[in-house]
Amino acid sequence: MSSTAPSIPGSRRPDTAPPARLLAPTLRRAAPALLAYVAVRLLGLLFLAFWAHRQGHGVWPILATQWDADWYLGIADHGYAHELGTAYDANNLAFFPLYPVLVKAVAAVTPGSRATVGLLIAVLASLAAAWGIFAVGDRLRGRRVGILLTTLWAALPVSLVQWMGYTESLFTACAAWALYALLADRPLTAAWLAVLAGLTRPTGVAVAAAVSLTCLLALRRGFSVRALTAALLAPLGWCGYVGWVGLRLGRWDGYFAVQRLWHNDVDGGRETLRRFRELLAYDSTPELFLVLVTVTLLASTALFALSLRDRQPLPLLLFTGVLLTIVLTSGGVYFPRARFLLPAFPLLLPLAVRLLRVPAHYRAAALTAAVLGSAYWGAYMVLVWPSAP
């Protein structure tokens, strides 16, 4: 099946209505998707609270102050390191700056702790992301697909991270609206959102690649200042931070040296295949969470193949293809890779389309299983799994 929307800027007249005029009706159209998103996440939060209470844990510290959230709060409090050092897993220059800068700026003018502000920013960003995901699905396949796509994203196994002091929600919001802007033939808007994505996570390069390559291909249809400017602008966020780290450490490969101290390098997928073999063939008692990560990687690969078969618009394929390649070819830590794929929402589009074709009771059963599974896996991830999500 082919998509119903253009994938190259310049292929049709851009949406020219002022954003303020479009905002209210667009939000009304997205309301069912946002309500479904909040309902799924609240159910997961309630299940976590029940499980945590039985174990004597508080929910707020889990969501707002642990693991990566602690690193971002440290950056907001004390800034970045000045030297590379030699200690492993200890240099905060591995963490991109937009989220901690927002935390510091908002906390400076509002009451409450920076941890509370960071969690609030993540939750609000998750709502913006859900809205953007709905907008993409609605534009490509209609309102019902947009609602299903948003619900599926809310019900992913590791989606508890969307309401933690992490950057996945902020990054997904930037990515979703950048992709929507490309589909709506607003390349400059897409480029600025790609800049923000590139300042949020290392995988921001996937958003930049989607915007730049889409806009460069548009030049084959005729020269466009907008498309060329967008293609050049999109990578500046990611390149700017990587370049700044190099200047701060006094070496051109400073950022990549930091990543090596975090055991993150590219090995072409050898580590991924080794973990697949170990967990699926040789380990008689594999850790349950690592099995979930492995199944997520395999399912994501299969869904990307379906996305190709469905001929998704080029920006979506570029984004998910680059993101999936980064995750699969990494030689670094294995356990957070399901989380790394959380922003790859276009991979869920084939599922949303196919779910609409099945009888309603089968669709309801599938969604119920996904929502309940998400609640269980989210709590398991932070209460049983001994490492970071």
Side-chain angles (χ1 to χ4, degrees), residues 233-281:
L233 178 64
L236 292 186
W238 188 88
C239 292
Y241 180 68
V242 170
W244 177 81
V245 173
L247 290 173
R248 191 173 183 85
L249 298 181
R251 49 186 294 178
W252 69 271
D253 66 339
Y255 174 76
F256 303 101
V258 171
Q259 286 293 347
R260 286 192 291 272
L261 288 176
W262 281 87
H263 309 281
N264 288 329
D265 52 10
V266 176
D267 68 356
R270 290 191 300 274
E271 174 65 11
T272 302
L273 292 175
R274 186 188 73 81
R275 297 307 294 264
F276 282 0
R277 289 195 301 269
E278 176 185 309
L279 289 165
L280 299 178

Side-chain angles (χ1 to χ4, degrees), residues 73-116:
L73 292 174
I75 294 168
D77 287 337
H78 309 296
Y80 280 105
H82 291 271
E83 298 178 350
L84 178 61
T86 57
Y88 285 98
D89 304 332
N91 195 310
N92 64 6
L93 288 165
F95 296 87
F96 277 53
L98 182 59
Y99 177 70
V101 166
L102 285 176
V103 170
K104 183 174 183 177
V106 175
V109 295
T110 57
S113 67
R114 285 177 175 171
T116 301

Side-chain angles (χ1 to χ4, degrees), residues 17-370:
R21 185 180 301 173
L22 290 173
L23 184 62
T26 302
L27 183 56
R28 284 197 299 269
R29 185 172 178 84
L34 295 177
L35 289 173
Y37 174 79
V38 171
V40 173
R41 295 304 340 124
L42 283 177
L43 177 64
L45 188 61
L46 289 173
F47 186 81
L48 170 65
F50 173 77
W51 194 343
H53 176 73
R54 290 184 61 100
Q55 291 193 356
H57 296 299
V59 172
W60 184 85
I62 292 173
L63 299 179
T65 66
Q66 295 185 9
W67 303 298
D68 284 16
D70 185 47
W71 283 99
Y72 288 117
L73 292 174
I75 294 168
D77 287 337
H78 309 296
Y80 280 105
H82 291 271
E83 298 178 350
L84 178 61
T86 57
Y88 285 98
D89 304 332
N91 195 310
N92 64 6
L93 288 165
F95 296 87
F96 277 53
L98 182 59
Y99 177 70
V101 166
L102 285 176
V103 170
K104 183 174 183 177
V106 175
V109 295
T110 57
S113 67
R114 285 177 175 171
T116 301
V117 169
L119 185 56
L120 179 62
I121 288 174
V123 172
L124 292 177
S126 78
L127 296 175
W131 187 3
I133 290 168
F134 166 80
V136 171
D138 181 30
R139 187 176 185 90
L140 292 177
R141 297 288 187 175
R143 191 183 193 191
R144 294 180 69 198
V145 169
I147 294 171
L148 270 177
L149 182 63
T150 308
T151 306
L152 289 172
W153 186 69
L156 287 172
V158 296
S159 55
L160 177 66
V161 172
Q162 296 164 9
W163 283 12
M164 294 176 66
Y166 277 53
T167 56
E168 272 72 19
S169 290
L170 181 60
F171 178 74
T172 305
C174 294
W177 284 108
L179 294 173
Y180 179 81
L182 285 176
L183 296 173
D185 198 9
R186 294 176 177 265
L188 290 176
T189 300
W192 281 113
L193 288 164
V195 170
L196 295 178
L199 291 170
T200 304
R201 289 193 58 78
T203 46
V205 69
V207 185
V211 174
S212 292
L213 291 176
T214 300
C215 292
L216 288 174
L217 286 172
L219 297 177
R220 298 186 307 174
R221 306 172 64 91
F223 181 75
S224 166
V225 174
R226 288 191 313 140
L228 180 59
T229 303
L232 297 175
L233 178 64
L236 292 186
W238 188 88
C239 292
Y241 180 68
V242 170
W244 177 81
V245 173
L247 290 173
R248 191 173 183 85
L249 298 181
R251 49 186 294 178
W252 69 271
D253 66 339
Y255 174 76
F256 303 101
V258 171
Q259 286 293 347
R260 286 192 291 272
L261 288 176
W262 281 87
H263 309 281
N264 288 329
D265 52 10
V266 176
D267 68 356
R270 290 191 300 274
E271 174 65 11
T272 302
L273 292 175
R274 186 188 73 81
R275 297 307 294 264
F276 282 0
R277 289 195 301 269
E278 176 185 309
L279 289 165
L280 299 178
Y282 299 115
D283 191 345
S284 59
T285 57
E287 164 57 50
L288 197 57
F289 184 71
L290 295 182
V291 173
L292 172 68
V293 172
T294 302
V295 171
T296 299
L297 296 179
L298 292 173
S300 297
T301 304
L303 288 172
F304 183 70
L306 273 180
S307 301
L308 289 170
R309 181 184 177 186
D310 289 356
R311 299 178 64 186
Q312 279 187 13
L314 181 64
L316 275 62
L317 292 175
L318 287 171
F319 170 63
T320 53
V322 173
L323 184 57
L324 191 58
T325 299
I326 292 171
V327 173
L328 291 176
T329 61
S330 170
V333 288
Y334 187 75
F335 56 83
R337 297 193 194 189
R339 170 169 63 88
F340 293 165
L341 286 175
L342 194 61
F345 70 91
L347 293 176
L348 300 171
L349 190 56
L351 285 182
V353 170
R354 284 160 176 81
L355 274 176
L356 280 180
R357 298 176 183 169
V358 303
H361 61 283
Y362 288 123
R363 182 165 61 249
L367 289 174
T368 300

